[in-house]
Amino acid sequence: MPNGAEDGGGNGNRSPVRRRRRVLTANTTPAEKLRALRGLGVLGGLAGLIVALMVLPAACTAGVNARDSARWFDGVPADLDTSGVPQRSRILAADGTPVATFFYQNRVDVRLDAIAPMVRKAVVAIEDSRFYEHGAIDAQGTLRALVSDLGSGAVTQGGSGITQQYVKNLLLTQADSVAERRAAKEISAARKIRELRYAVAVEKRYSKDEILRRYLNIAYYGAGAYGIEAASRRYFSKHASQLNLAESALLAGIVRYPFAYDPTRHPEAARKRRDTVLQRMADLGYIDQTTASAAERQPIKLHVQDVKSGCVTSEAPFFCDYVQRDILANPVFGKTAGDREKLLKRGGLTIRTTLDRKAQKAAQRAVDAHVPAKNSAHKAAAEAMVEPGTGRIKAMVVDRRLGSDKVRGKTWINFAADADHGSSIGMQAGSTFKVFTLAAALDEGLPFGTRLMAPKEFTPVGYRDCKGNRVGDPGTSLHNAGDGEGGKPFSIVTGTQHSVNTFFLALEKKVGLCPTVRMAEKLGMKQATGKALQQYPSFTLGINPVSPVRLAAAYAAFGARGKYCSPVAIAQITDASGHRLKVPSAHCEQAVDKETADAVNYVLRGVLTKGTAAGQGIGRPAAGKTGTVDDFSAAWFAGYTPDLASAVWVGDPRGGYKHPMSDLCMDGRCYGPVYGATIPAPIWHQSMIGALEGTAESPFVQPSSHFFSKGSGEERAKLPDVRGLKVGDAAAKLRAAGFKVRIGAPVKSDYPKGTVADVSPSSPRPGDTITLRPSGGKQKHRDEAGGRRRGLPG
């Protein structure tokens, strides 16, 4: 960047650098002579032009051409845009802590009163000491520089003041194409005239203080820091308002040659330059000589802060990447991809997200603990957490770092998200999709006690898709998972608890394939590629590839009593001026009847207590569903409370069918076949406990009584026969079998007095209360008494 005339001429430099005058000698080559002549020609032309421009506005010229020329130069250019400079955008968590920063140029625009006064004095002193005295063009400095340049045959002194330097930086910053950037840098009379004309317009439009503020915010200070605030944070980890004299002088001195005076690369050169600035300030009377000398004796003390652009170094890299892609892909943030990228990396946005740092850390710890990034089996895991009733994504993790797949333990693919937010094509959902058949059945009013035969094998015929087409293959036989359940009837409750495939195929047939598909669609489900769900009889078994974040949002709807909200990651965006931008909405709606949702919650709670995920409860009301994909190619668990929902996937990025988890050993631990309860459910268990720690628990709502019209749907328990036993012994035996006991009124019976004569109910559910009625003594039978009265034989 060209320096001010005072600095360039050596005034105030304690050790001015003498430049050799270039002369033409016998050894000068023809090419060098030609370049020298061209340079002299350009400089001579510029000198004449600038003198004319300085004289024209004040002269009493005669003639239309002269008057029009003066007006043209003195007028405000129509294409002058000073609306702003590129500023970095920040992604913040819900609590305001930083998640990531994006920028083309690391810049934070600040007010003048947010810049230490010594910084302003130091910059004016070394760059343009007459800044507050001259107009857009400093005649003295410009002419002196031109005389020196003409005498040497080369550009040896800068003639640009602060206003002209601001304009030059502004034009370079606003250049989008290679051609525009080349034009902004070229050494030509046309460029210089354009800059001078813009400088005149800027001086008309803004005060000197505002021009200085804009210059301080646009100048480059080396090491990727643009503007005084970013430079202050970069080199000293403090705000520009907190800079002391020595630090102010150091930064002011960097601007002339940012690379050469970068204190992290060239500390000695940076110190000498700082001392030059301090002496210049003393010469001008901005500080006294004693103060300048004291500051010169101070060593340079840096506290470097390295600011990276993008998500790679973020503590929540895949959530950050989700937000980035949300902005870059959504037309609400710009008509074209280029417009959206410019907004993100230049717009100075403050992007407040939905990320809960506690939930994020809990999920990351859980995933990393069970499926380490560089595990020996090359498996991967992903989890997404969504808040019921709002759709806010609270956490999103993958067990790897964001980066090239060529590096072990890294990936660019966000396995927790859809293709448009992370390039994943999704993973088959397995039995987690049974919840949609369950919800469709309960929505049709089927009670919990509805029982269907679940055969060992099931032939998928008699189904129709939503277009009315018959689907299914009479030559195919579908069977149950590795647990081997089947060959007997199940209720809606027990069929779900044990995740019986053939039961759900029968239930889907009873309810209808299309109502099941429509239920899933109402809850936001679609393939991770964005395509519609595939409609086949095996729909309920989870043949569709989906993402954890969509599955978590669907399950969250049950926790919110049927209110579905599409997942969102952005809560609010403000631009550099503080104006709020429109952000994507969660589009919440009552997708499922509240009573249906309550019934689903009742059934899925049993999965964590009596079903396939028994023992994975989290100490508060919770519900969920395991999912195991064919041939153990992947495993899932999706679960929720009224406050938080989560979906966990574990599989192999290289291909689940090619690398199944049928006999998994990982990092010295062997699991055998991996079900949804084997690894995904423990990840869910650990992450949910951590995410909900310290929050009050919320209860589910008890289902409507009509769902119990055929009983609770639970399996009947085997009741020990305790009749004839002493009451105390009978009570102990029943309690040992898992029942509660109460003692009823005595009854007359043939059992000895004091022993148990009657037990009710005779067909209880597990955990029911059993009433014991002791015998009050023997009594005559009605038949005997009646017989004697009628004279019949005994």
Side-chain angles (χ1 to χ4, degrees), residues 436-437 440 465-466 508 512-523 525 533-536 539 544:
F436 304 119
T437 308
D465 63 18
C466 291
E508 181 185 56
L513 173 59
C514 186
T516 299
V517 172
R518 292 288 185 244
M519 177 61 70
E521 291 174 340
K522 286 194 295 184
L523 293 170
M525 294 311 302
L533 297 169
Q534 301 175 69
Q535 300 181 28
Y536 298 106
F539 178 91
N544 281 282

Side-chain angles (χ1 to χ4, degrees), residues 337-350:
D339 292 338
R340 298 188 287 271
E341 185 175 11
K342 183 183 291 187
L343 176 67
L344 176 62
K345 295 184 178 180
R346 297 188 180 189
L349 305 180
T350 299

Side-chain angles (χ1 to χ4, degrees), residues 35-60:
R35 282 197 298 271
L37 290 173
R38 286 175 177 170
L40 287 171
V42 170
L43 290 169
L46 279 173
L49 175 64
I50 291 171
V51 170
L53 291 174
M54 286 186 277
V55 172
L56 269 174
C60 298

Side-chain angles (χ1 to χ4, degrees), residues 507-562:
L507 184 62
E508 181 185 56
K509 187 174 182 179
K510 181 179 181 66
V511 174
L513 173 59
C514 186
T516 299
V517 172
R518 292 288 185 244
M519 177 61 70
E521 291 174 340
K522 286 194 295 184
L523 293 170
M525 294 311 302
K526 59 182 178 181
Q527 293 188 64
T529 57
K531 295 180 179 179
L533 297 169
Q534 301 175 69
Q535 300 181 28
Y536 298 106
S538 51
F539 178 91
T540 191
L541 305 183
I543 60 168
N544 281 282
V546 299
S547 67
V549 70
R550 282 203 174 273
L551 194 63
Y555 273 68
F558 296 117
R561 301 193 69 197

